[in-house]
Amino acid sequence: MDALWVVIPAFNEAQVIADVVAGVRARYSNVIVVDDCSRDETGTNALRAGAVVLRHPLNLGQGAALETGIRYALSRGAEYIVTFDADGQHRVADIAVLLDRQHETGTDVVVGSRFLGAAHGMPPLRRIVLKLAVAFMRLTSGVPMSDAHNGFRLFTRRAAERIRIRQNRMAHASEIIEQIGSLGLSISEAPVTIVYTEYSLRKGQRLGNAVNIIWEMLLARLHK
Amino acid sequence: MIIQWVLSLGLVLCLFYAFMQRGKSKLVSFAIAATSIAGIYFVLFPEETNELAKWMGVGRGADLVFYCWIVISLIVSVNLQFKILNLQEMTTELTRELALRAPREPQNNA
């Protein structure tokens, strides 16, 4: 599907990025990897696997990498943009689930939910923190979600053109939901499967980051 | 006393800095100037802080100065955070522009 672009932000993912890109490319031809100034061969491996590679000359964070990839996809005429993690947690088959959901509902954004689908190997503490994050997001944004911090999303062109990710690091997930609420965009959820591996758990964000995220969101609100 | 001269000199320098900053931000310039003038006054007449503290319901003048210092430090800290955020936004845009100008395309883009 030429109108669909998959954006993969990546930082030091040389070990797995080629498999992830090849897996996506088996079904979707347009894959962008935003190499966020990796110190390893992430960019080269992604390029060899068939992705368009954009390299940040400075490490900015996942939120900034997503924004760069989304802007590039828009410039190439994307009608649908899917954000996909580089660590192999997401299943390529679920992209079709997000797309079907968008076609069924006509919503501007479809967010994958591991709590409507499945999360294999998720540590219990992470489950508790994610549930708390869901309750917090519901309180601050007013958008009812079952999974607030899932990096697996589908944006229509209309939504991608309006949402502007300014949170460079991990607070971008909350910021996106807040913007969906404040811009009056429609949102739906689709069940997806997240597979936690030893690698993805090691690479994933630390639970203590929750405090940083709240601080960054508070600062951003004051800074508006 | 020597300490009064040293502190007064420091606060006069702050006042001078506030004057120099008036073109950039009138609010910040005014806040620095007002704080410096109040500081000079209380350095020269320290017993006045006790009177003011009593009037405000704080035990001692030293406590009042300490509380004010905490509040001012917090305001300065948040202001610095905002400046850092502005710089970060500029750095981000510059970095992004460089990335977008040089996409690497795969050889066999099937």
Side-chain angles (χ1 to χ4, degrees):
Chain A
M1 188 182 180
D2 283 345
L4 187 141
W5 285 74
V6 180
V7 174
I8 307 176
F11 176 63
N12 290 344
E13 303 278 10
Q15 200 179 323
V16 294
I17 195 70
D19 287 342
V20 172
V21 170
V24 177
R25 288 261 301 159
R27 295 197 194 183
Y28 305 95
S29 54
N30 301 320
V31 180
I32 305 163
V33 169
V34 183
D35 176 8
D36 196 19
C37 199
S38 300
R39 290 184 295 271
D40 60 11
E41 296 299 308
T42 297
T44 308
N45 293 356
L47 192 68
R48 280 195 194 128
V52 175
V53 176
L54 303 170
R55 180 174 165 84
H56 283 168
L58 295 171
N59 177 253
L60 297 175
Q62 196 184 55
L66 281 174
E67 177 70 16
T68 301
I70 289 169
R71 281 201 204 175
Y72 182 78
L74 286 172
S75 75
R76 295 288 297 263
E79 289 299 323
Y80 300 99
I81 298 170
V82 171
T83 61
F84 198 86
D85 279 3
D87 58 9
Q89 277 194 124
H90 297 156
R91 292 193 321 172
V92 177
D94 284 335
I95 295 176
V97 175
L98 297 186
L99 201 56
D100 287 346
R101 184 82 179 132
Q102 197 285 325
H103 289 156
E104 280 166 26
T105 60
T107 45
D108 299 308
V109 181
V110 182
V111 180
S113 170
R114 75 200 97 185
F115 296 114
L116 295 179
H120 299 302
M122 177 157 59
L125 187 59
R126 187 169 292 250
R127 182 179 292 274
I128 293 167
V129 171
L130 285 170
K131 286 284 185 188
L132 287 172
V134 166
F136 181 74
M137 278 311 303
R138 196 170 291 197
L139 205 68
T140 55
S141 70
V143 180
M145 306 276 296
S146 65
D147 190 355
H149 280 255
N150 196 329
F152 204 175
R153 313 173 189 87
L154 181 145
F155 299 97
T156 58
R157 183 176 185 86
R158 181 182 123 85
E161 283 175 337
R162 282 163 182 75
I163 292 170
R164 187 173 163 234
I165 304 172
R166 293 176 71 196
Q167 289 287 352
N168 280 1
R169 300 206 176 267
M170 297 317 292
H172 72 272
S174 308
E175 185 193 25
I176 289 170
I177 304 297
E178 279 194 359
Q179 285 195 31
I180 288 167
S182 62
L183 292 168
L185 297 169
S186 53
I187 186 170
S188 59
E189 289 186 291
V192 296
T193 299
I194 306 289
V195 182
Y196 288 91
T197 60
E198 195 186 322
Y199 176 83
S200 72
L201 285 170
R202 199 172 64 239
K203 287 284 297 182
Q205 57 174 314
R206 310 238 180 286
L207 294 175
N209 271 354
V211 178
N212 290 339
I213 289 172
I214 292 169
W215 172 243
E216 283 170 12
M217 285 171 62
L218 184 68
L219 262 186
R221 283 197 173 195
L222 290 170
H223 189 235
K224 269 179 188 172
Chain B
M1 279 186 285
I2 295 172
I3 189 67
Q4 280 182 315
W5 284 106
V6 172
L7 289 173
S8 300
L9 181 66
L11 289 164
V12 166
L13 287 175
C14 286
L15 202 55
F16 182 68
Y17 175 74
F19 182 73
M20 297 295 286
Q21 292 293 307
R22 74 193 186 287
K24 286 186 184 171
S25 167
K26 282 196 165 55
L27 183 69
V28 172
S29 172
F30 176 78
I32 296 172
T35 309
S36 303
I37 290 167
I40 292 168
Y41 179 76
F42 288 122
V43 164
L44 296 178
F45 307 102
E47 64 281 359
E48 291 294 320
T49 57
N50 283 329
E51 292 300 318
L52 187 63
K54 271 183 203 162
W55 182 73
M56 293 183 82
V58 180
R60 296 180 306 162
D63 293 337
L64 180 65
V65 171
F66 181 64
Y67 299 149
C68 290
W69 177 75
I70 289 174
V71 171
I72 290 167
S73 298
L74 279 173
I75 292 168
V76 170
S77 172
V78 170
N79 191 39
L80 279 174
Q81 289 273 3
F82 288 163
K83 283 189 176 174
I84 291 168
L85 278 178
N86 286 338
L87 284 172
Q88 183 186 293
E89 279 184 9
M90 284 191 269
T91 310
T92 300
E93 279 307 314
L94 183 62
T95 304
R96 180 167 294 132
E97 193 58 37
L98 288 170
L100 289 170
R101 281 183 184 211
R104 288 197 291 164
E105 304 265 355
Q107 293 291 320
N108 301 311
N109 201 353

